[in-house]
Structures are given as C-alpha cells and as structure tokens.
Amino acid sequence: MATPGTSLQVLRDEHGAVAAVLRSMLMMIEQGPGDAPERFFDVLRAMLFYIDEFPEKLHHPSESNLLFPKLARARPDLMPVIRQLEAEHMEGEGRVRELQHLLMAWELIGDARRDAFEEAARRYVDFYLGHMRLEESQLLPAAKACLTAQDWAELDAEFAEGRDPLIARDRDPGYDRLFTRIVMNAPAPIGVGPALEKAEA
C-alpha cells in the first residue's frame, strides 16, 4: 500500500469548506433577511456563486477526471458507487443554477417566492451533504488502501493546495472580494459576521 499524498487531505479540507458554506446558508435561511435584506441577499448570492465557481467547476471535475477512473481500475466493485456519484456531479450544476434563479425571484418579487427558494435550498443541502458523505465513507478509504505511489503523485499535482478561495493560504487575489463577502458577513461555521436578526412576525 502506497502512502497517501497530500491530495487526500486537500479533498477532505475542500469537502469541509463546502459543508461549512452549506450549513451557514441554512442558518441564514432560518434567520431570514430581518432588518438587513441587502446584506442577506448579497451573502447568499456570494455563497451560491462560490458553490458554482469552485466545487462545481473545479473540485468535481478533478474527482471525475482523475480520482474516479483510478478507483474504477483498482476497485471495479466500486463502480455502482462511482456511477451514482458521477450522476450527482452531472446534476449538481443545474441545481445550483436553479437556486440562483429562485433566490433572485425571492429578492425581486418578494415573499411570495420565499418558500420555493427555501425548500429547494434545503433539498440541495441534503443532496450535497449526502454526496460528500458517500465519497468520504466509500471512496476515500478505498483510495487510501489501494492507490499506488504514481496515482498519489498525479492526484497531488491535480489537487494542489491553494485551490479553494475560502481555505487557501495563498488565495488567488481575484477571489478576495468573494472571500470577504462570505467570511466577513456570513454566520458561523464559515463566517465571522454577526447573526442576522429574525424578522418580526
């Protein structure tokens, strides 16, 4: 068994960052816009942009193009799980775009569109957290057990540190505004901003 490279921890760290954004998004939805609707919608838009920009366009393709094929060759018995995860990767981008549209509808049209966004957001968070749990419980332990030193070298090159703008030490300066908007304004676990006040009943 080869010693896993840094890519295994990078994968887990990236999962952790996405999970934190998703949980903070749910907290914001529960609290509602309160007396700060502009900040509320601004932060939610930034969160959805982050999910569309990073996990959907970078993290998932890296898994699909490199990690999954290596595991399929080493562990053909995992193909049903890999097929499920690939199908969820294909589905994910459309779901994020739907959420972006539903959020804009709520912001521009009003509370008549609030329930549709909230329900879709909760379904998406459940979907995504379940997706990551399946990868963490089925694929990453298998990768640790069966991939070769050459496999890990290739994965390490793909999953180089500094990719995720929310956790990277050497973040691309182009993401500074996105980082600030989310981390400085969103509630924990991803942000340090103040909790939004609940709207008056």
Side-chain angles (χ1 to χ4, degrees):
M1 180 180 69
T3 302
T6 58
S7 50
L8 189 64
Q9 189 58 50
V10 172
L11 273 163
R12 289 179 171 140
D13 290 345
E14 290 178 354
H15 284 176
V18 176
V21 169
L22 294 172
R23 292 188 177 109
S24 290
M25 185 169 71
L26 284 186
M27 288 178 61
M28 291 188 66
I29 292 168
E30 286 295 326
Q31 294 166 357
D35 296 327
E38 184 174 340
R39 179 166 68 90
F40 175 83
F41 287 110
D42 191 51
V43 175
L44 283 181
R45 278 196 306 272
M47 287 175 163
L48 292 177
F49 177 81
Y50 159 79
I51 293 167
D52 187 34
E53 182 76 6
F54 175 70
E56 293 295 342
K57 292 181 180 174
L58 186 59
H59 179 89
H60 288 172
S62 294
E63 291 177 330
S64 294
N65 296 334
L66 198 60
L67 176 63
F68 291 179
K70 290 181 182 301
L71 277 170
R73 287 191 294 272
R75 289 280 307 274
D77 59 300
L78 289 174
M79 277 306 299
V81 176
I82 291 170
R83 288 193 189 99
Q84 178 183 336
L85 292 169
E86 279 284 25
E88 290 174 357
H89 282 180
M90 297 292 290
E91 185 181 350
E93 188 171 356
R95 280 177 171 246
V96 174
R97 299 295 170 82
E98 178 193 19
L99 280 178
Q100 290 171 324
H101 176 81
L102 291 172
L103 181 64
M104 184 170 288
W106 176 13
E107 182 178 12
L108 298 180
I109 297 174
D111 280 347
R113 298 294 185 92
R114 178 174 182 164
D115 287 348
F117 173 78
E118 290 187 351
E119 290 169 10
R122 291 189 182 98
R123 287 196 304 270
Y124 178 76
V125 170
D126 287 344
F127 159 80
Y128 207 135
L129 292 178
H131 173 87
M132 290 191 292
R133 276 195 300 271
L134 186 58
E135 289 184 344
E136 295 271 353
S137 65
Q138 298 290 320
L139 294 197
L140 297 192
K144 185 176 180 180
C146 70
L147 295 189
T148 67
Q150 179 62 32
D151 290 331
W152 286 117
E154 292 172 6
L155 284 164
D156 288 352
E158 178 73 11
F159 287 93
E161 290 196 51
R163 303 185 342 150
D164 188 321
L166 295 187
I167 60 174
R169 286 189 296 261
D170 299 318
R171 184 174 61 252
D172 181 340
Y175 286 108
D176 283 349
R177 185 177 299 178
L178 175 66
F179 176 86
T180 300
R181 190 164 297 182
I182 293 177
V183 174
M184 300 308 294
N185 292 290
I190 195 61
V192 297
L196 294 162
E197 296 295 329
K198 287 181 180 280
E200 294 295 327

